[in-house]
Structure formats: C-alpha cells, structure tokens
Amino acid sequence: MSRPTLVLDSALDAVGNTPLVRLDRIAKHEGLKCNLLGKLEYTSAGGSVKDRIAKRMVDCAEQEGKLIPGKSVVIEPTSGNTGIGLAMACAIKGYSVIITMPNKMSLEKEAALRALGAEVVRTPTEAAWDSPESHIGVAQRLQREIPGGIILDQYRNVNNPLAHELTTAPEIIEAVVSTPSTVAHPSSGKVDVVIAGAGTGGTISGIAQGIKKTHNPSCTIVGVDPVGSVLALPAALNDTSESGSYVVEGIGYDFVPDVLSRAPGLINSWVKTSDTDAFAAVQLLIRREGVLVGGSSGSALAGTLAWLRSDEGKTVAQTPGLNVVVMLPDGIRNYIGKEWFLKMALEAEPSPLAQQIAGV
Ligand code: PMP
C-alpha cells in the first residue's frame, strides 16, 4: 500500500491517502458475493474526508492572493469536520479561524476546533439555512463585520468537489486496479459501484466525476441521504411524515448546495436512511470489522446494504468480483460522548465473557 515513507513537511501532507479495506465479515454476514470495500477517511490527519477540501480550498485561496498570514480571518459554516480541516491548515499557516456550527454537532468537534485555536460560534439547529440565525447566516454576518474576514464557502467552492475528483477518486481507482484478482477475492479490475452520503455533496459529486471521466463511465454512483433531508432524487423520496430532524451529523440539508451536482446520469440513484439503521450499521462496522467509524459511515453502510437488497442492486450483490466501494467519512472519536454511542457501547447486552467476569 502506498503510505508515504518519507519525512513529511507538515500534517497537511498526511491528509488523504486513506486505505481501502475489505469489509469481508459484513459481506459474509449479509450473504454478499460482491467485494465490499470501505474507504477509511478517519485515518486522514484531521480525522475526516473533509481534510482534503480544507487543504485544497486554503491552498487555492493562497495562490489567488486571497489569504494574507497574520491578517486574514477564515470564517466557515460547517458541521465541524471541514472546520477541523481548516483549523489544522490555518494553525500551520498562521491564519485566524472562526467556525459557525449548529448546536447539534458534537462537543468533541468543538473541543478539537478550540484546541486547534479556532473560535467556535454555535447556532440553532432548527434555523433554516437562509435565515440570519443559521450557521450560514451567522458566518455571512461575521464576514461583513470582521476585518480580513473571508468565507472559503464549501457549499459553492469548486475546490470542494475538485479535491475529491483529483484525490479521492484516483486513490479508489488505484487501489482497485492494482489489487490482483485471486481465487479468494476475484475482482472485475474496475470500480463498479461507489456509495457515499451527501452533506455539501462535494464528496459524491467529485468522486463520480473522477471515476466516470477517467476510469469507468458505467460505474454506478449511489447517494445516501437521511430521512428528513431534501438532497435525494427523485424529490418524492424526501416526502416524509416524520420530522425533519435527525441525529446523524455531517449529511443531509434543508437546501441543495451548488456543489452537489445534478448533472443527469452522474449520481445514478439515491437511498434514504434512518438514524436507527445508521447507528446499528456503526456497531456492525466497529464490532465485525474493527473500523472505528462515526455516524455518517453507518448511514453509508446502511444505505449500501439497502441498495444491494433492492431490485436495482441485487444482481450486483450476487456477482462475484464486482467492486462496491463505500465511503466512511470520519471516526467514532468525534462522537464518543454522544448518547447514541454511549448507549451502544455501554448498555449492550452483557457478553458471555462479561457474565463470566461477573461470576468470578
Ligand atoms: N460525513 C461527515 C461526518 C461529514 O462531516 C460530512 C461533511 N459535511 C459528510 C459525511 C458529507 O460530505 P460532503 O460534504 O462532501 O457531502
């Protein structure tokens, strides 16, 4: 595997280059014949898939002369992970940072942000995206009020999807193409399906572009969107009698960001997922595969399994050698104190070993 072996200039050189790992135990448990491969973005230096866009947005803004060390104040509305990536880049490069983030996002993310030197402004979760109280509205106000304030704007910045087109997609392609087909693990030699959750939509749009343009135009791209969000197509999928709130962080919105491409045929299908299924899938990933992933990774896996069971995906599920890649965007350490995780970890049925210990 091509992990860097030389001394790196800074933590920014340890962004991306994440491993693609077989999820064989889950595949077997689910009766899948295809290869199920998880891309572990929590191994990136800042702990998430969003490090890639933070690094690229900062680098490009610097090249365009938009950032001045000691003067510029980088302001960004985020569910936290883009903020952590930006705060990491800005700690290294010497820019001040203000992150605006809805209240529902974890304390762990806020603590990491503050440790990196960022200021954090919390906003009401229920504020509509275009209201002055939302994380986006507050960021815009701060930009107007604070001298040197600049919003790199992950919702509109082309460097968001481009970061994935130019790094995430090639990494997936290289790993799949370079892995030989064997009797134990037959492989089509191509990336056949990619499944990813959408927040800004940069990850899924950029990966779809990269793979379809340079590798496999018929790769199936499946988007995952939480129940209560409006990103899925056809729009009728978003009709729900349930409330618009969901606990999972980082995916789903009440508006369609510009960087989520609606180009026909680019994202082929969408799956809606519930918190319950997402958190059960997190447990499956941690327990069966030992991958310490966060909530939206559970959504991505839950969406993957639902798609592979659907009429559209069931042939893929039963075809040996097809490569199905699922994006796992961040790690469980972002959510250790969240009620859903503590319940899962601490209130599980006692294992036979626990009963044995209690009996000693
Ligand atoms: N999962 C998590 C945990 C995230 O922080 C994000 C980014 N908001 C995503 C998934 C979705 O990524 P994107 O914004 O590229 O759609």
Side-chain angles (χ1 to χ4, degrees):
M1 194 187 66
S2 62
R3 285 298 258 182
T5 49
L6 303 177
V7 172
L8 304 176
D9 286 339
S10 81
L12 287 173
D13 288 339
V15 164
N17 269 317
T18 57
L20 195 58
V21 174
R22 291 188 195 284
L23 306 176
D24 275 358
R25 285 137 292 266
I26 293 177
K28 191 170 170 211
H29 180 253
E30 297 291 320
L32 304 177
K33 302 245 164 46
C34 61
N35 297 317
L36 185 62
L37 311 172
K39 187 134 173 87
L40 299 188
E41 292 297 303
Y42 71 80
T43 67
S44 182
S48 90
V49 70
K50 305 297 287 197
D51 294 353
R52 299 168 186 270
I53 78 150
K55 179 179 169 183
R56 189 176 174 89
M57 291 197 307
V58 169
D59 281 351
C60 291
E62 276 187 325
Q63 280 157 25
E64 290 162 16
K66 289 182 182 158
L67 290 176
I68 304 155
K71 199 161 166 219
S72 296
V73 180
V74 173
I75 303 169
E76 188 73 18
T78 147
S79 62
N81 281 326
T82 299
I84 292 172
L86 285 173
M88 184 175 74
C90 291
I92 292 165
K93 291 168 177 278
Y95 304 110
S96 303
V97 180
I98 305 172
I99 296 304
T100 60
M101 185 165 88
N103 282 326
K104 86 170 212 185
M105 308 307 169
S106 74
L107 185 61
E108 291 80 348
K109 288 177 185 163
E110 180 177 339
L113 284 163
R114 290 191 185 277
L116 284 163
E119 292 302 325
V120 179
V121 180
R122 292 290 197 154
T123 61
T125 305
E126 55 296 345
W129 69 279
D130 54 356
S131 92
E133 288 84 43
S134 76
H135 65 312
I136 296 175
V138 171
Q140 288 166 342
R141 177 173 57 76
L142 291 172
Q143 188 196 12
R144 287 192 298 272
E145 288 171 0
I146 292 180
I150 173 169
I151 301 179
L152 298 177
D153 196 353
Q154 59 171 337
Y155 302 100
R156 279 192 281 213
N157 193 323
V158 289
N159 291 304
N160 172 355
L162 258 186
H164 297 291
E165 182 174 340
L166 300 178
T167 71
T168 324
E171 287 171 29
I172 294 171
I173 297 164
E174 193 193 337
V176 167
V177 168
S178 333
T179 302
S181 183
T182 62
V183 175
H185 287 114
S187 169
S188 67
K190 316 185 258 67
V191 183
D192 298 292
V193 180
V194 179
I195 299 167
T200 66
T203 304
I204 191 164
S205 306
I207 293 176
Q209 291 279 8
I211 290 183
K212 291 197 178 187
K213 268 199 233 161
T214 68
H215 171 68
N216 177 12
S218 36
C219 178
T220 303
I221 306 288
V222 181
V224 175
D225 189 39
V227 173
S229 162
V230 303
L231 301 183
L233 284 176
L237 281 178
N238 305 317
D239 292 344
T240 171
S241 51
E242 293 167 46
S243 82
S245 66
Y246 42 88
V247 174
V248 69
E249 296 178 37
I251 57 171
Y253 268 108
D254 59 344
F255 73 108
V256 180
D258 289 2
V259 295
L260 172 58
S261 174
R262 298 286 183 157
L266 187 69
I267 299 171
N268 302 93
S269 237
W270 285 88
V271 185
K272 301 292 285 191
T273 52
S274 67
D275 280 340
T276 310
D277 291 350
F279 298 145
V282 169
Q283 181 151 43
L284 205 56
L285 282 159
I286 296 181
R287 250 326 147 80
R288 295 210 182 234
E289 301 291 352
V291 292
L292 287 160
V293 296
S296 72
S297 301
S299 306
L301 179 67
T304 301
L305 298 179
W307 185 80
L308 288 169
R309 274 184 226 117
S310 72
D311 283 347
E312 209 185 301
K314 66 185 182 205
T315 313
V316 171
Q318 293 309 315
T319 308
L322 291 188
N323 294 303
V324 176
V325 174
V326 50
M327 287 300 294
L328 305 174
D330 75 352
I332 197 61
R333 292 200 168 89
N334 268 345
Y335 310 100
I336 290 286
K338 283 269 162 180
E339 200 186 325
W340 65 264
F341 177 70
L342 291 175
K343 258 199 169 124
M344 171 192 301
L346 305 179
E347 292 175 24
E349 283 288 297
S351 66
L353 191 58
Q355 288 167 14
Q356 221 178 317
I357 295 166
V360 172

